[in-house]
Amino acid sequence: MQELINRAKELLANGTVARVLGWKAGDLPYNPEPAFFTTAEELENFVYNGFCGANLSKYMIAASKLEGKTMVCLKPCDSYSFNQLIKEHRVDREKAYIVGVGCMGKLSIEKVKELGIKGVTAVSGAEMADGAETLTFQTLYGEKSCAYSDAMLERCHVCKGKEHVIYDELIGESKDTKDAERFAEVEKIEAMSPAEKFAFFQKELSKCIRCNACRNVCPACSCRKCVFDSTKFDSDQKANVDSFEEKMFHVIRAFHVAGRCTDCGECSRVCPQGIPLHLFNRKFIKDINELYGDFQAGADAETKGPLTNFTFDDAEPSIVTNR
Amino acid sequence: MYKIAKENLTALFQLMAAERDIYAPVNNGGQVNFEAWAEGAEVDLDTLKSVKSPKDAFFPQSENLYTCYRDGKKITIQPEELRHEDFVVFGMKACDVKGVEVLDKVFLSEPVDTFYAARRAHGTIVALACHEPEETCFCKVFGIDCAEPVADVATWMVEGELYWKALTEKGEALTKAVASLLTETDDAKVEAEKTAIRAIVEKLPYSNLSLEGWNGDALTEKFESPIWEDLYKPCLACGTCTFVCPTCQCYDIKDYDTGHGVQRYRCWDSCMYSDFTMMAHGNNRTSQMQRFRQRFMHKLVYFPANNDSMYSCVGCGRCVEKCPASLNIVKVIKAFENQGGDR
Ligand code: SF4
Ligand code: SF4
Ligand code: SF4
Ligand code: SF4
């Protein structure tokens, strides 16, 4: 972390960048927030640890419009989102100085709570330098501990790898955290009968409170005004009158990000109701892989996506009835 | 003081449900929220906070106000019926009960909101003391004692038994209705529980948060502070904070075209949204900074200015837990304090 802070100070001092986009220490041991820093003094509050799960790519849309360059800290998976945003002309590559930061797998306080650990007042093992296998918590109800990987975000269990796909320089080591198959959950659902599938999604989506956290955090959802925010549209973005509306919102969103979703996992991370939103997107990714050949959105900033590019080998519409 | 063994709670729910609806914290797919109780529901009284506050019981996220039907040239208007059956909200925490008091100020003062008033008249609140408060709680800052909730009935869960004490007439009536399942007891265990809870509250990291400088008179200096420009930046404008909050009270009224008429409904609104207070001439808050500022100014300045110094935050800590950008009212209060924020 100190190396990052030193480098940030240097880049600010020599005028390479006008500001730094990273994370600022929170007031609890697990709640750092995305933040812009413009002075060495502010950087004293800079933090980078296991709880810095937030993907900063989307903030670069706003930062691209500011005067001067922004040093942005991107984890390996975040760098895919950044590439995708370049491809969609939403961020300006020239306005970014990308520091690829190492990643040991990111932690979720929700996962910690699911393990029955509550009242957390201090955590050890979450610092990058620790590379710890175990997390130890001081809580209001005594000392508790758990395996680092048990507190990891879902996306880290299916990590895309330690490589940054775009960067200006790299700082810090990364760890292989993958211990599950990316499409295993999707396959389980594919094996269900239509009635079971319906019941599954009905149950999950009925929890949705239409808060829009999933949409607003999503780097692929970068429309300046979402159709669901339109006052002329009969499905209201803030009402959850019936389960039809929730399904409509989620199905439309899933279609809209299909082929562009990098599987960054932010939607599932932020959902206050713990809805496994990644399952929708991963189903699309799996289908795209099967129909058009393996494709990873954001792997580079140039390749045309299979859904926005016509070739004679494309799947025919009859695929719908054949499958 | 009465008590009932935890194993008998299902029987208690069945007995209550015979005459009235019940809203209770129910675990649905891993998330606990207040829902209408039905036989077989997985009631969870151990999880401290429901994801959404229980305010839905009195102020649902969306509700119909009336429906217009068109038949040729004839239009008929059918108002939605007001709540006329009794119901119980079981297991509300002290902060959430205080949240209802905040909503009362808004909806029960003239002009009275009849939909809300009908629900308040028919609802009985059974509150549950917070056995194990968490680090995100700061109810104490608002003078709330989570060891001793003030509602129609106050309850405590101690060593597998629910202790029960009626505090109002409505509470007495409910107690009478379920008397066959309750046994009389002294309050020794409850007193010990209260002491234990209060000892934990003293240790909570936010319990000594200072609200100095936040009051109805602070309008101009707080409003014009440059701090907001910094604070709002990570905000995603998602509105999660407002939807989980027990005191957020803004709503929108909209029409749904049913094809052969119009359904007029209201739904929660959020000051974090771009169409909030949108009028024919446009919007009076044009930036996210202004929308973000509104949420905290409302809770800590405007509301106390209009309601005898009562804040419209109850320190439940839900926004602390759920904000995807880890922003929240505590960080706002602290930022003003640290930066000498134009107090
Ligand atoms: S849909 Fe979810 S996983 Fe895909 S890019 Fe958006 S936030 Fe990331
Ligand atoms: S974040 Fe979760 S609760 Fe909020 S709109 Fe998305 S799915 Fe619904
Ligand atoms: S502002 Fe936050 S802490 Fe205060 S009542 Fe609302 S959700 Fe709870
Ligand atoms: S929950 Fe956080 S990010 Fe979302 S609107 Fe509220 S303050 Fe902004």
Side-chain angles (χ1 to χ4, degrees):
Chain A
M1 188 169 88
Q2 200 50 47
E3 201 184 339
L4 265 173
I5 297 176
N6 294 344
R7 186 63 182 136
K9 284 183 183 168
E10 232 170 76
L11 290 169
L12 275 178
N14 68 23
T16 310
V17 301
R19 69 197 67 76
V20 174
L21 172 54
W23 302 268
K24 185 167 96 183
D27 59 348
L28 293 171
Y30 54 78
N31 70 350
E33 72 199 54
F36 289 96
F37 305 83
T38 49
T39 63
E41 196 194 346
E42 284 171 8
L43 279 164
E44 296 306 321
N45 290 324
F46 181 100
V47 74
Y48 181 58
N49 60 33
F51 288 103
C52 296
N55 176 351
L56 303 179
S57 303
K58 196 176 185 182
Y59 290 103
M60 285 305 293
I61 299 177
S64 291
K65 300 193 179 79
L66 302 175
E67 212 37 61
K69 277 195 187 213
T70 302
M71 167 183 150
V72 55
C73 302
L74 298 181
K75 303 183 288 290
C77 57
D78 304 340
S79 66
Y80 289 78
S81 308
F82 193 84
N83 255 349
Q84 186 63 29
L85 284 164
I86 296 179
K87 198 190 286 186
E88 294 169 9
H89 307 288
R90 303 296 282 122
V91 296
D92 185 348
R93 176 68 182 93
E94 298 309 312
K95 287 288 190 69
Y97 186 91
I98 303 172
V99 173
V101 294
C103 182
M104 304 282 178
K106 290 293 166 243
L107 301 165
S108 148
I109 190 67
E110 298 290 334
K111 285 267 152 58
V112 173
K113 284 186 198 161
E114 278 167 30
L115 296 168
I117 301 173
K118 48 184 189 174
V120 173
T121 52
V123 182
S124 69
E127 294 308 320
M128 297 304 293
D130 299 347
E133 299 284 332
T134 312
L135 292 168
T136 311
F137 301 88
Q138 303 306 323
T139 82
L140 295 161
Y141 306 102
E143 188 178 295
K144 308 267 162 70
S145 66
C146 75
Y148 190 100
S149 73
D150 287 345
M152 269 182 342
L153 290 164
E154 188 281 339
R155 69 179 187 228
C156 301
H157 293 281
V158 297
C159 179
K160 286 190 275 290
K162 300 194 284 187
E163 308 302 323
H164 291 80
V165 288
I166 185 168
Y167 60 88
D168 291 304
E169 66 178 279
L170 297 174
I171 295 179
E173 294 293 304
S174 292
K175 191 157 127 184
D176 221 335
T177 58
K178 185 170 186 294
D179 59 7
E181 280 312 312
R182 187 179 181 190
F183 297 113
E185 282 179 278
V186 175
E187 277 160 15
K188 252 189 239 158
I189 294 169
E190 283 174 341
M192 290 179 184
S193 70
E196 285 169 337
K197 276 182 207 163
F198 187 80
F200 175 84
F201 284 109
Q202 176 89 318
K203 187 176 167 82
E204 287 300 335
L205 292 184
S206 70
K207 293 188 278 185
C208 174
I209 60 172
R210 298 302 303 278
C211 66
N212 294 313
C214 52
R215 178 193 73 181
N216 289 20
V217 81
C218 174
C221 274
S222 63
C223 297
R224 291 201 53 188
K225 189 162 179 97
C226 176
V227 63
F228 282 97
D229 284 347
S230 164
T231 44
K232 298 186 178 62
F233 193 48
D234 258 348
S235 179
D236 194 290
Q237 98 278 21
K238 27 192 191 199
N240 60 349
V241 184
D242 57 33
S243 57
F244 170 75
E245 305 228 44
E246 287 137 23
K247 283 189 287 255
M248 173 135 124
F249 170 66
H250 288 292
V251 169
I252 289 180
R253 208 179 86 76
F255 268 94
H256 195 191
V257 301
R260 306 187 297 117
C261 164
T262 62
D263 207 1
C264 74
E266 283 288 89
C267 45
S268 291
R269 176 181 72 86
V270 301
C271 176
Q273 290 279 35
I275 301 171
L277 294 159
H278 57 275
L279 293 177
F280 281 113
N281 310 313
R282 254 181 231 164
K283 167 65 177 159
F284 278 101
I285 294 170
K286 182 168 178 287
D287 280 356
I288 289 171
N289 285 351
E290 286 166 7
L291 295 171
Y292 300 92
D294 282 355
F295 176 76
Q296 169 61 53
D300 63 57
E302 296 83 32
T303 313
K304 283 188 179 161
L307 300 187
T308 46
N309 190 26
F310 173 79
T311 73
F312 286 104
D313 300 328
D314 280 359
E316 295 299 327
S318 59
I319 191 79
V320 176
T321 42
N322 296 345
R323 287 182 115 203
Chain B
M1 179 82 62
Y2 297 93
K3 68 176 181 180
I4 175 171
K6 206 176 174 184
E7 306 82 85
N8 293 337
L9 283 181
T10 309
L12 178 73
F13 278 96
Q14 285 163 340
L15 187 57
M16 287 193 295
E19 302 280 334
R20 50 190 83 65
D21 291 338
I22 306 171
Y23 295 91
V26 169
N27 185 323
N28 173 20
Q31 305 295 316
V32 177
N33 281 287
F34 279 76
E35 283 175 17
W37 179 86
E39 195 68 53
E42 203 185 308
V43 175
D44 180 343
L45 297 178
D46 299 327
T47 297
L48 185 69
K49 293 175 213 190
S50 51
V51 179
K52 279 208 279 181
S53 85
K55 77 178 171 196
D56 286 78
F58 301 104
F59 174 41
Q61 182 159 8
S62 23
E63 66 181 314
N64 276 341
L65 302 179
Y66 59 80
T67 312
C68 304
Y69 299 95
R70 192 182 58 211
D71 184 11
K73 285 199 166 156
K74 202 172 140 237
I75 292 177
T76 42
I77 298 178
Q78 193 176 9
E80 204 64 31
E81 264 186 38
L82 297 180
R83 177 93 201 185
H84 57 267
E85 302 105 0
D86 289 343
F87 66 96
V88 166
V89 191
F90 194 96
M92 268 173 92
K93 302 301 185 296
C95 55
D96 291 338
V97 178
K98 182 80 176 183
V100 175
E101 218 182 288
V102 171
L103 298 182
D104 284 352
K105 293 266 184 202
V106 179
F107 293 119
L108 297 185
S109 56
E110 287 298 332
V112 171
D113 185 298
T114 48
F115 291 88
Y116 180 85
R119 290 200 186 88
R120 283 292 277 136
H122 288 281
T124 300
I125 299 178
V126 178
L128 175 63
C130 300
H131 177 58
E132 291 187 328
E134 292 176 9
E135 76 280 15
T136 50
C137 303
F138 55 109
C139 53
K140 179 176 175 247
V141 172
F142 298 99
I144 299 164
D145 182 5
C146 65
E148 189 151 26
V150 184
D152 295 314
V153 176
T155 66
W156 293 260
M157 187 69 85
V158 191
E159 294 161 16
E161 286 176 312
L162 186 80
Y163 288 76
W164 176 292
K165 186 175 171 188
L167 300 174
T168 66
E169 259 173 49
K170 272 185 188 172
E172 296 286 357
L174 183 67
T175 308
K176 214 180 263 172
V178 298
S180 60
L181 289 169
L182 303 175
T183 44
E184 238 184 302
T185 178
D186 61 54
D187 59 4
K189 287 239 169 116
V190 167
E191 287 307 319
E193 168 78 353
K194 284 189 210 166
T195 310
I197 293 173
R198 287 175 188 145
I200 293 290
V201 168
E202 288 309 313
K203 288 195 265 176
L204 298 178
Y206 293 157
S207 270
N208 296 317
L209 192 69
S210 165
L211 291 172
E212 204 193 315
W214 290 99
N215 55 60
D217 298 326
L219 200 150
T220 316
E221 68 200 79
K222 289 284 190 290
F223 188 87
E224 286 172 354
S225 168
I227 296 181
W228 299 111
E229 270 303 340
D230 261 350
L231 282 176
Y232 94 95
K233 284 211 177 94
C235 174
L236 299 165
C238 64
T240 305
C241 50
T242 55
F243 280 11
V244 296
C245 178
T247 67
C248 274
Q249 61 221 218
C250 293
Y251 60 81
D252 200 353
I253 294 183
K254 299 208 162 198
D255 289 342
Y256 179 70
D257 182 352
T258 58
H260 43 78
V262 161
Q263 219 170 40
R264 172 153 287 195
Y265 66 96
R266 73 162 157 199
C267 59
W268 295 349
D269 204 342
S270 170
C271 48
M272 295 294 187
Y273 292 161
S274 58
D275 63 343
F276 181 71
T277 60
M278 173 88 105
M279 290 169 273
H281 87 285
N283 205 317
N284 54 4
R285 289 182 201 85
T286 49
S287 71
Q288 190 56 28
M289 185 283 280
Q290 295 168 342
R291 294 189 277 264
F292 181 88
R293 179 176 60 191
Q294 161 65 22
R295 179 160 198 270
F296 305 101
M297 287 295 287
H298 187 197
K299 299 216 178 291
L300 303 171
V301 179
Y302 310 148
F303 201 88
N306 296 320
N307 295 281
D308 315 316
S309 304
M310 183 192 211
Y311 293 109
S312 64
C313 170
V314 295
C316 75
R318 284 187 180 85
C319 59
V320 179
E321 289 184 12
K322 295 297 182 186
C323 171
S326 295
L327 287 175
N328 55 63
I329 195 162
V330 176
K331 283 189 176 173
V332 169
I333 293 168
K334 286 184 177 175
F336 271 87
E337 191 173 320
N338 293 342
Q339 301 187 16
D342 306 321
R343 308 238 301 236

